[in-house]
Amino acid sequence: MKIKEEIKDGIKVIRLSGKVISGPDLMDLKTVFQTSINNNMGNVLLDLSRVAWMDSSGLGVLVSGHTSLAREGGRMAILNATKKINELFIITKLITIFETFTDENEALASLKE
Amino acid sequence: MLKGIVLKIPSDGSVVESVQIFVEKVGITSGVSEEDATGLSIAVMEVVKNAMEHGNGGDPKKAVTIYIDAFPGRLQFLIDDCGTWQPDADLGHEPGEGEALISSRGRGVLIARNLARWLDYGLNPEGKTRATLIWPLS
């Protein structure tokens, strides 16, 4: 998994690519979420357009990031999850708690509200 | 055709990645596409991680044993742990509700069932928990 971070319109954007599965890379993703919380970044946009696979550990890190941000009054939105990842969100019902977008500008505008 | 592969691994999270790569290669060798082989390896490893955690209590001294066999039209994985837990027959058919839904854990069997098409739990001849995962080959 590769992680790229940038600030766009004042919003932290985290772009993931590859496989979000068990392994040391997941610790890096946890750290990215924690750093965002520590730096009071508030809201986070998570771009999953280049994520091919995710397992339960990867999902766990996303859920944990989502709840940690929410606890601090922030929000996490998901951008362009692939069909496979979207199916994963549906079967686990996480689709009911994740905010999902297919347009980056729309997602950023929503997170700035 | 692959026959009689046995992997005995400790209940130690650090081995998960290398075993996952091995299972992926087993899939590709058996004719599973590279794309689907990743799905196969994720499904198998979800079951293996559950066996390490629930069957063996995360004790590295306790092993998880994976028996891999290819048959015409299918790959079979038998995954044994040292426990005697017998998961509810409904395990992994429905996601959690409420607090369970926002838990960072507990989705492994659900994901494995959806990826593998066929996953069942029972006991091996020694009375220990055995998961049977079948992956169809085209």
Side-chain angles (χ1 to χ4, degrees):
Chain A
M1 174 180 63
K2 285 185 181 162
I3 306 172
K4 283 186 183 172
E5 298 172 71
E6 63 178 289
I7 306 292
K8 211 168 169 188
D9 294 347
I11 304 288
K12 172 80 160 272
V13 181
I14 304 170
R15 300 188 198 279
L16 305 183
S17 56
K19 300 172 188 173
V20 182
I21 58 178
S22 302
D25 291 352
L26 272 187
M27 282 308 292
D28 295 340
L29 183 55
K30 272 187 189 173
T31 304
V32 167
F33 276 121
Q34 195 52 52
T35 306
S36 301
I37 291 161
N38 294 345
N39 294 344
N40 295 315
M41 284 308 296
N43 298 338
V44 168
L45 179 60
L46 189 63
D47 181 353
L48 298 182
S49 59
R50 293 184 178 186
V51 172
W53 290 96
M54 192 178 292
D55 67 2
S56 62
S57 304
L59 271 180
V61 171
L62 261 60
V63 172
S64 169
H66 172 273
T67 48
S68 300
L69 279 163
R71 210 176 296 129
E72 301 297 321
R75 287 159 62 200
M76 181 185 86
I78 288 170
L79 177 66
N80 282 330
T82 56
K83 187 168 177 269
K84 207 166 275 172
I85 302 302
N86 214 42
E87 281 171 8
L88 199 55
F89 292 161
I90 291 169
I91 62 164
T92 55
K93 279 196 183 170
L94 290 174
I95 196 80
T96 60
I97 63 164
F98 287 159
E99 284 185 82
T100 57
F101 293 88
T102 54
D103 182 277
E104 185 161 339
N105 291 329
E106 194 187 321
L108 290 170
S110 170
L111 289 174
K112 282 173 80 175
E113 282 171 6
Chain B
M1 193 174 286
L2 293 173
K3 277 284 175 197
I5 297 174
V6 181
L7 287 178
K8 197 165 188 174
I9 58 173
S11 297
D12 177 352
S14 67
V15 303
V16 166
E17 201 176 356
S18 48
V19 177
Q20 180 148 13
I21 291 166
F22 179 80
V23 171
E24 211 170 301
K25 285 186 176 156
V26 164
I28 291 167
T29 305
S30 304
V32 178
S33 72
E34 213 160 298
E35 172 79 357
D36 285 348
T38 302
L40 163 67
S41 69
I42 287 176
V44 171
M45 294 318 293
E46 293 288 7
V47 178
V48 169
K49 286 186 285 183
N50 253 12
M52 287 178 173
E53 187 177 341
H54 299 296
N56 295 346
D59 181 351
K61 293 190 196 102
K62 293 182 177 174
V64 172
T65 310
I66 310 171
Y67 301 90
I68 308 172
D69 280 294
F71 298 98
R74 68 191 158 99
L75 263 177
Q76 175 184 278
F77 296 80
L78 304 178
I79 298 147
D80 289 4
D81 60 48
C82 303
T84 52
W85 65 299
Q86 294 186 58
D88 190 300
D90 292 334
L91 179 75
H93 288 288
E94 290 292 334
E97 298 286 348
E99 283 298 309
L101 187 59
I102 55 166
S103 165
S104 61
R105 302 154 56 79
R107 299 181 183 88
V109 176
L110 181 66
I111 291 171
R113 279 199 197 282
N114 273 275
L115 285 171
R117 289 88 149 176
W118 208 89
L119 170 64
D120 201 11
Y121 278 91
L123 297 176
N124 67 15
E126 286 81 44
K128 305 294 184 187
T129 303
R130 165 171 287 176
T132 303
L133 186 150
I134 305 289
W135 191 274
L137 298 171
S138 48

